[in-house]
Amino acid sequence: MEATALQKTQFVTLAIGATARQMGISTTELHNRLKHHDLIRRLLFDCYDTLHTESIDGVVWNVQEALRNWDAKEGGTK
């Protein structure tokens, strides 16, 4: 069964909130950093089917790793 837009949006909200808490930054800061790399769409929305089956710790790890890799690719680790 295909996930609804609302289910995906709720998942993205949860993922951003949990990741921001783990990183000790605001959700706005994390959202802006993810948006800069288009990771909200490419990681959280496009990979929803895989990510939503993981634990929240697994999702947080994936978000942090993706962000770390994309920040490093641009030459500036944050």
Side-chain angles (χ1 to χ4, degrees):
M1 184 169 89
E2 180 71 22
T4 66
L6 176 61
Q7 288 171 316
K8 288 182 179 182
T9 301
Q10 288 171 333
F11 169 76
V12 169
T13 302
L14 174 70
I16 291 173
T19 304
R21 270 190 304 282
Q22 178 69 28
M23 294 176 70
I25 62 175
S26 72
T27 54
T28 300
E29 180 181 347
L30 180 60
H31 177 271
N32 290 340
R33 288 175 64 189
L34 293 171
K35 187 175 177 181
H36 173 76
H37 299 297
D38 196 26
L39 290 172
I40 295 171
R41 179 188 59 81
R42 293 188 320 182
L43 177 64
L44 296 174
F45 276 106
D46 290 356
C47 297
Y48 170 84
D49 290 337
T50 301
L51 288 176
H52 91 280
T53 63
E54 295 187 17
S55 69
I56 192 61
D57 291 336
V59 172
V60 167
W61 183 88
N62 277 287
V63 172
Q64 287 178 306
E65 280 297 302
L67 189 57
R68 193 172 5 261
N69 289 335
W70 280 96
D71 280 345
K73 183 177 178 180
E74 286 194 351
T77 56
K78 295 187 178 184

